[in-house]
Amino acid sequence: MKYLLGIDFGGGASKATLLSEEGKIAAEYSVEYPTLYPEAGAAEQNPKDWISALCISTKAIIENSGIKNSDIAAVAVDSATHTYLLADGSYQPLTTAFHWTDTRSRPQAERLRDSFGELIFNKTYHLPDTIWTLPQLIWLKESCPELFASAKYIFFEKDYIRYFLTDVFCTDYIEAEGSMLYDCECRSWDPELCNLAGISIEMLPPIKSPTDIVGSVSEAAATATGLAIGTPVICGTTDTAMEVFAAGAISQGDITVKLATAGRICVITDKAYPDRHLVNYSHIKDGLWYPGTASKSAAASYRWYRDTFGGEYRELDCEAEKIPIGCDGLIFHPYLKGELTPYGDPLLCGSFTGIRATHTKAHFSRAVLEGVAMSLLDGRQYLDSLGINYASFATAIGGGTKGKLWRQILSDALGLTLKVNESSDSSFGSAMLAGVAIGIFENEEDARKKCVKTLDITYPDPKRTAEYKKLYAEYKKIKSALTPIYDGRG
């Protein structure tokens, strides 16, 4: 029996999934690591923490599964887009990594929008914001010129981890699309965009396909990780691309609804939909894209609520289930970090409105769940306004979809049937990708057939969908009324 190892590096933890050639999960393991906040707006991570997590998880996976390291046929790594670090001429980090949630580049992003917005949008299908590498590089150049001048190479997160395994410097085209240094039409690094960042193209990694075998586990990496020397290592790609693949969304019209730290709705299309309120990335399958909406604080809102006001998720859900739709007039807006789709407004704030003396903690709990659902409905409405067609059922992914109540609220609010699979982790998708790359799976369709297994289906109730339509109208009115107040603080 041969196995495939996929390893994801998220915002606060790494997860490894070991998948058999029959498409069954043989073992899983997670390791947490910190995000550093050295000053206001900063969000950084130490690359040493990534490597430590990698080594711990690979050794644990091998030990816990009871397999031989030589039974692992291939390895693929994924991570969040946009997170990068500078390296010297020996490919060693000069800095901590700058996480995509770092907002210190806001002035640089605004300057780029004002002076080069049309140029950048035409090449990258996106407008500058703090999440992109281009404005972050300009911020670093202006803030730490000597450090910036000493840099020879730029790594993206998963590419640095893969370099540790293979000593091969490269990236994939989906990761490149997330840098704002890549021309999506020409499918190559762009000299004009690189010039705006003050870097040369030579600093950037060569671009490969996600399924390319780019190297193998080196002797030093084998000693550190417990993997066998010479194990093939796949280029891999970004976490959302792997979540979409893990969900089995590989055909035009397939749709995923993500309820994780952030919320997303991604639709598989045959073309990009350049729009300032959508995120456009290529699919791993040639000719396809997965344009998507983005809600900044989805499951993060419920976690904030739990951590701030106390309780456990099951307890909160149990009480919230007793409360009627609309929470007797209590409405929550989940703009804890501003909002992306469909507003693109970093100054928006979260709010509870309509509070009465009759409201209990259970009302507030349900209001949070419904508010996040309204934010995702905002995204669906925006997709509909662009004429993007998709199926009436979606695959629900992300930790928030594990809660039955929240899943039902989301299904009713969106008016979509939601399917939950055995696994929707990006590490699972990376393991599937490794199988496609080395031929254990014939292609993406074969991988979906063998690996993707449905566990549960949630159906929307038309009556409740109609009630949420009315709630959504109130939600929008309140948002419109409060926006001038928040924007006036900018």
Side-chain angles (χ1 to χ4, degrees), residues 122-126 173-174 176-178 182-187 240-241 244 249-256 264-275 278-292 388-389:
N122 289 339
K123 289 177 179 289
T124 70
Y125 303 160
H126 300 100
Y173 58 81
I174 303 175
E177 289 167 357
Y182 178 86
D183 189 318
C184 291
E185 290 287 338
C186 298
R187 295 175 67 88
T240 303
V244 168
I250 60 172
S251 300
Q252 188 174 344
D254 287 347
I255 177 174
T256 61
R264 294 201 65 189
I265 300 178
C266 294
V267 182
I268 311 305
T269 63
D270 61 353
K271 63 179 181 180
Y273 281 82
D275 186 278
L278 295 184
V279 180
N280 279 275
Y281 287 116
S282 295
H283 197 281
I284 60 166
K285 200 173 176 184
D286 286 344
L288 295 181
W289 290 73
Y290 63 97
I388 300 177
N389 297 317

Side-chain angles (χ1 to χ4, degrees), residues 276-279 292-296 335 339-345 375-376 378-380 382-383:
R276 69 183 301 268
H277 296 308
L278 295 184
V279 180
T293 65
S295 301
K296 272 193 174 181
Y335 308 142
E339 187 56 297
L340 294 173
T341 308
Y343 307 115
D345 188 347
S375 177
L376 285 164
D378 245 349
R380 180 184 177 177
Y382 195 74
L383 290 171

Side-chain angles (χ1 to χ4, degrees), residues 26-317:
E28 297 175 309
Y29 197 81
S30 296
V31 180
E32 294 185 353
Y33 45 77
T35 298
L36 311 173
Y37 303 99
E39 63 182 17
E44 302 175 12
Q45 291 183 344
N46 190 331
K48 292 181 180 179
D49 291 334
W50 301 338
I51 301 306
S52 175
L54 169 74
C55 296
I56 292 170
S57 62
T58 49
K59 289 177 179 177
I61 280 280
I62 294 169
E63 181 180 350
N64 295 348
S65 64
I67 68 169
K68 299 176 182 178
N69 61 2
S70 57
D71 292 333
I72 298 176
V75 179
V77 178
D78 70 80
S79 68
T81 328
H82 316 297
T83 298
Y84 80 98
L85 61 87
L86 301 182
D88 63 19
S90 299
Y91 300 96
Q92 298 305 303
L94 289 169
T95 62
T96 51
F98 298 94
H99 197 259
W100 69 270
T101 57
D102 192 301
T103 61
R104 288 174 290 184
S105 61
R106 182 179 166 192
Q108 289 74 19
E110 290 175 349
R111 290 205 314 262
L112 286 171
R113 280 199 301 273
D114 292 342
S115 301
F116 304 100
E118 185 176 356
L119 168 74
I120 293 170
F121 185 81
N122 289 339
K123 289 177 179 289
T124 70
Y125 303 160
H126 300 100
L127 285 173
D129 201 341
T130 58
I131 67 172
W132 305 99
T133 313
L134 170 56
Q136 288 192 350
L137 283 169
I138 297 174
W139 169 82
L140 186 61
K141 180 183 179 181
E142 294 174 355
S143 302
C144 309
E146 293 183 4
L147 172 66
F148 189 88
S150 65
K152 301 299 181 184
Y153 298 105
I154 296 172
F155 275 107
F156 301 103
E157 182 175 356
K158 65 121 176 37
D159 301 326
Y160 175 74
I161 297 161
R162 187 182 357 82
Y163 178 83
F164 174 82
L165 290 172
T166 64
D167 295 325
V168 176
F169 180 55
C170 66
T171 193
D172 70 287
Y173 58 81
I174 303 175
E175 185 84 66
E177 289 167 357
S179 67
M180 200 161 270
L181 301 167
Y182 178 86
D183 189 318
C184 291
E185 290 287 338
C186 298
R187 295 175 67 88
S188 63
W189 297 122
D190 185 79
E192 280 188 282
L193 298 175
C194 289
N195 186 56
L196 290 176
I199 64 169
S200 65
I201 288 180
E202 289 71 30
M203 296 176 68
L204 295 167
I207 300 172
K208 306 290 185 180
S209 171
T211 53
D212 284 349
I213 301 173
V214 298
S216 59
V217 175
S218 67
E219 183 176 353
T223 300
T225 63
L227 297 169
I229 298 173
T231 302
V233 180
I234 313 308
C235 183
T237 188
T238 65
D239 58 351
T240 303
M242 290 296 87
E243 286 174 337
V244 168
F245 186 35
I250 60 172
S251 300
Q252 188 174 344
D254 287 347
I255 177 174
T256 61
V257 176
K258 181 179 180 179
L259 193 54
T261 298
R264 294 201 65 189
I265 300 178
C266 294
V267 182
I268 311 305
T269 63
D270 61 353
K271 63 179 181 180
Y273 281 82
D275 186 278
R276 69 183 301 268
H277 296 308
L278 295 184
V279 180
N280 279 275
Y281 287 116
S282 295
H283 197 281
I284 60 166
K285 200 173 176 184
D286 286 344
L288 295 181
W289 290 73
Y290 63 97
T293 65
S295 301
K296 272 193 174 181
S297 300
S301 292
Y302 206 25
R303 183 168 60 246
W304 162 82
Y305 175 77
R306 180 202 63 177
D307 293 345
T308 304
F309 298 103
E312 296 296 330
Y313 288 132
R314 286 187 180 180
E315 171 195 350
L316 296 173
D317 284 0

